[in-house]
């Protein structure tokens, strides 16, 4: 029996605007039919029927910003453990940053990482290549060879491509392959030794601050380079009102610019750092309430195209330190959908708009065949309950590291099941939470 009918579901597909009760028929790995009028004969024995009991059926999430420890730092995360966290969060496709050890800056390492990803099997794993050799910001990598070998795009990960001439050349050369350059927009000279958002809270805590201007200054510079070259540039993890406004104006003027943000920047503010909570030490840092609201407006009006997890695992040796010494970063794969649904429950962003930022838009940005429910496409999808109340507990996360800034946060919405190519890869009812010792407070 190769056909399965998922009936009695709320079908949600941002690409087609579908939001209706109905069913989806899957034949093997692919969607055969979907809609309100999809039925099978009640006595037809060659079709397996799954009653979704009113759950939302949506495309699997596409996460375009994930860090893992493999290769090189498998003690904090492997591709396999990241994949387990991903499917528990409804992610069926993710793209890894190149900041591994060794760095993904040549074809051999890229092919090695992609082979590791294929061996995991649970999710579709892709990899970026570094934009510059060794993430050093000075010498471009072999864009053509890396693109031909499958690089999803080019980025220096959490490091800004700071040299304007290097960025200009990257934007120019990338056009030959119609690929995208992804920038972490922070002016390094403005960041200095800062560890949190510059302002009153940083002053009260006695911590060195990172000004909001560090973000928009880099964006404004890069927009001039996009004007000069005509290249395609994507800004990652927007966190400030000024940055959102700059990208909005650039899009209105027709520049080939896109952007993403991550849940901490529309659901938390710098106050999460109070108590010197290193789990809330992120890059870029958490900002003000004004910035948070601007990020939400950017998602709602389409200025911000995608929502990413910005998943950066860290172990106790990296996070259980004085705030100034702890590493930046937090995990986010498993909480990506649940926290994003707050935008819907607070009537700030429509459900299909949020789902588009989590599925179709990142897939389109990276030209991946994912993020939609379309006849003939791979049956990568999730079943989720948007109203189920849960409390995030870092000890119940399935990844290897548990440095979430959302620990103990009550949320509404949970992934019940995740399917990849028609196969069930996660079921909340049968997927046990791993037993382990509690990570110390941080």
């Amino acid at each position: 029996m190769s056909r399965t009918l998922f009936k009695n579901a709320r079908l949600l597909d941002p690409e087609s605007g579908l939001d209706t009760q109905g069913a989806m028929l899957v034949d093997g790995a692919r969607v055969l039919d979907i809609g309100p009028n999809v039925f099978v004969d009640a006595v037809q024995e060659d079709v397996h029927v799954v009653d979704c009991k009113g759950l939302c059926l949506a495309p699997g999430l596409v996460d375009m910003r994930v860090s893992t420890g493999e290769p090189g730092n498998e003690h904090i995360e492997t591709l396999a453990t990241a994949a387990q966290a991903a499917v528990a969060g409804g992610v069926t496709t993710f793209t890894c940053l190149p900041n591994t050890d060794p760095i993904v800056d040549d074809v051999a390492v890229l092919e090695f990482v992609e082979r590791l990803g294929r061996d995991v099997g649970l999710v579709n794993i892709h990899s970026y290549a570094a934009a510059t050799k060794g993430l050093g910001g000075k010498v471009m990598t072999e864009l053509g060879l890396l693109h031909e070998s499958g690089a999803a795009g080019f980025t220096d990960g959490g490091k800004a491509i700071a040299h304007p001439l290097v960025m200009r050349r990257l934007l120019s050369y990338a056009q030959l392959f119609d690929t995208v350059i992804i920038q972490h927009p922070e002016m390094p000279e403005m960041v200095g030794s800062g560890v949190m958002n510059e302002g009153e809270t940083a002053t009260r805590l006695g911590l060195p601050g990172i000004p909001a201007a560090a973000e928009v200054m880099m964006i404004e510079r890069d927009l001039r380079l996009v004007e000069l070259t005509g290249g395609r540039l994507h800004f990652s993890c927007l966190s400030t009102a000024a940055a959102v406004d700059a990208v909005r104006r650039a899009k209105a003027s027709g520049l080939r610019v896109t952007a993403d943000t991550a849940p901490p920047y529309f659901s938390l503010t710098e106050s999460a750092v109070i108590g010197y909570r290193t789990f809330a030490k992120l890059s870029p840092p958490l900002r003000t309430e004004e910035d948070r609201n601007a990020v939400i407006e950017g998602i709602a009006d389409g200025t911000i195209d995608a929502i990413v997890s910005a998943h950066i695992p860290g172990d106790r040796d990296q996070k259980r330190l004085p705030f100034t010494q702890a590493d930046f970063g937090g995990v986010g794969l498993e909480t990506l959908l649940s926290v994003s649904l707050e935008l819907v429950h607070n009537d700030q962003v429509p459900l299909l708009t949020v789902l588009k930022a989590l599925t179709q838009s990142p897939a389109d940005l990276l030209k991946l065949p994912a993020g939609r429910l379309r006849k003939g496409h791979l049956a990568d999808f999730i079943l989720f309950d948007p109203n189920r109340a849960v409390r995030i507990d870092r000890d119940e996360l399935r990844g290897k590291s548990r440095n979430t800034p959302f620990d103990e946060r009550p949320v509404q919405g949970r992934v019940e099941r995740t399917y990849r190519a028609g196969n069930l890869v996660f079921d909340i009812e049968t997927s046990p939470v791993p037993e382990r010792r509690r990570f110390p407070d941080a």
Side-chain angles (χ1 to χ4, degrees):
M1 184 184 299
S2 62
R3 293 186 176 185
T4 302
L5 180 75
F6 295 87
K7 71 171 188 178
N8 191 22
R10 180 184 175 188
L11 304 172
L12 297 164
D13 179 37
E15 182 186 50
S16 61
L18 185 68
D19 182 356
T20 185
Q21 290 296 125
M24 185 170 75
L25 183 61
V26 174
D27 186 1
R30 297 190 178 274
V31 176
L32 190 63
D33 203 358
I34 181 169
N37 301 313
V38 175
F39 303 99
V40 296
D41 193 320
V43 297
Q44 194 170 344
E45 295 182 350
D46 63 343
V47 177
H48 176 59
V49 177
V50 175
D51 188 347
C52 298
K53 300 179 180 177
L55 291 174
C56 293
L57 191 159
L61 309 190
V62 179
D63 188 351
M64 59 183 292
R65 192 174 181 85
V66 173
S67 293
T68 73
E70 189 174 15
N73 288 288
E74 288 81 357
H75 64 287
I76 60 170
E77 192 84 287
T78 65
L79 287 171
T81 57
Q84 290 166 9
V87 295
V91 176
T92 53
T93 299
F94 69 72
T95 307
C96 300
L97 296 180
N99 54 326
T100 48
D101 185 13
I103 292 166
V104 185
D105 61 2
D106 65 38
V107 171
V109 181
L110 175 67
E111 291 180 344
F112 176 68
V113 172
E114 296 219 320
R115 187 167 61 250
L116 288 175
R118 286 193 296 272
D119 291 343
V120 170
L122 273 181
V123 297
N124 309 302
I125 299 177
H126 303 275
S127 178
Y128 297 114
T132 65
K133 282 280 185 184
L135 307 180
K138 296 180 180 177
V139 180
M140 288 195 320
T141 53
E142 295 285 351
L143 267 63
L145 289 174
L146 289 161
H147 176 71
E148 289 177 5
S149 300
F154 295 87
T155 178
D156 277 356
K159 297 180 68 175
I161 302 167
H163 198 294
L165 184 56
V166 173
M167 177 59 94
R168 178 183 180 177
R169 288 172 175 165
L170 283 166
L171 289 169
S172 295
Y173 280 102
Q175 288 184 80
L176 299 175
F177 319 106
D178 195 21
T179 189
V180 65
I181 304 297
I182 297 168
Q183 173 71 299
H184 180 73
E186 270 194 325
M187 190 74 77
E189 294 83 359
M190 294 289 288
V191 173
S193 59
V195 294
M196 69 167 293
N197 187 49
E198 183 178 271
E200 182 181 339
T201 304
T203 301
R204 282 194 287 118
L205 294 175
L207 295 173
I210 300 172
E215 186 169 285
V216 73
M217 286 174 69
M218 181 63 81
I219 288 175
E220 295 282 12
R221 184 209 72 174
D222 285 348
L223 291 177
R224 300 296 174 269
L225 295 173
V226 172
E227 284 180 341
L228 191 64
T229 61
R232 189 155 68 96
L233 183 59
H234 179 86
F235 294 111
S236 197
C237 289
L238 293 195
S239 67
T240 64
V244 174
D245 188 50
V247 172
R248 182 180 289 119
R249 286 186 279 107
K251 284 189 166 188
S253 66
L255 294 184
R256 301 175 73 195
V257 175
T258 52
D260 68 59
T261 191
Y265 304 111
F266 56 75
S267 58
L268 298 173
T269 67
E270 60 186 354
S271 64
V273 171
I274 293 174
Y276 301 95
R277 295 187 63 243
T278 58
F279 283 4
K281 182 179 178 181
L282 307 176
S283 176
L286 297 171
R287 304 290 188 178
T288 65
E289 181 67 9
E290 179 188 359
D291 292 315
R292 188 182 76 85
N293 288 328
V295 169
I296 293 171
E297 290 175 12
I299 297 170
D301 69 13
T303 299
I304 294 176
D305 304 84
I307 300 174
V308 301
S309 72
H311 182 83
I312 301 179
D315 67 6
R316 67 182 64 197
D317 291 338
Q318 297 168 307
K319 300 299 276 187
R320 185 64 172 161
L321 292 168
F323 197 89
T324 54
Q325 298 172 28
D327 281 359
F328 289 95
V331 294
L333 274 166
E334 205 166 334
T335 55
L336 178 58
L337 179 65
S338 296
V339 179
S340 297
L341 286 174
E342 290 183 354
L343 297 170
V344 180
H345 295 304
N346 294 334
D347 293 325
Q348 294 165 317
V349 186
L351 177 56
L352 282 182
T353 303
V354 171
L355 288 177
K356 182 179 181 180
L358 291 166
T359 58
Q360 180 195 344
S361 290
D364 289 346
L365 285 169
L366 300 181
K367 300 181 179 178
L368 299 175
R372 63 251 301 153
L373 301 175
R374 187 192 291 176
K375 294 179 185 178
H377 271 225
L378 283 175
D380 293 347
F381 63 98
I382 57 175
L383 292 172
F384 71 94
D385 182 346
N387 298 312
R388 185 159 179 169
V390 293
R391 184 179 292 274
I392 295 171
D393 183 339
R394 65 175 184 257
D395 280 343
E396 294 185 354
L397 299 179
R398 288 163 174 78
K400 229 173 190 180
S401 296
R402 284 153 284 157
N403 50 308
T404 171
F406 299 112
D407 190 33
E408 299 185 1
R409 185 182 185 90
V411 292
Q412 261 185 287
R414 192 180 75 172
V415 174
E416 301 283 332
R417 276 171 269 168
T418 302
Y419 292 82
R420 179 194 180 225
N423 295 311
L424 181 65
V425 291
F426 173 77
D427 186 342
I428 191 68
E429 300 300 331
T430 59
S431 177
V433 175
E435 293 185 7
R436 52 196 164 193
R437 196 155 51 89
R438 188 168 177 81
F439 199 104
D441 289 333

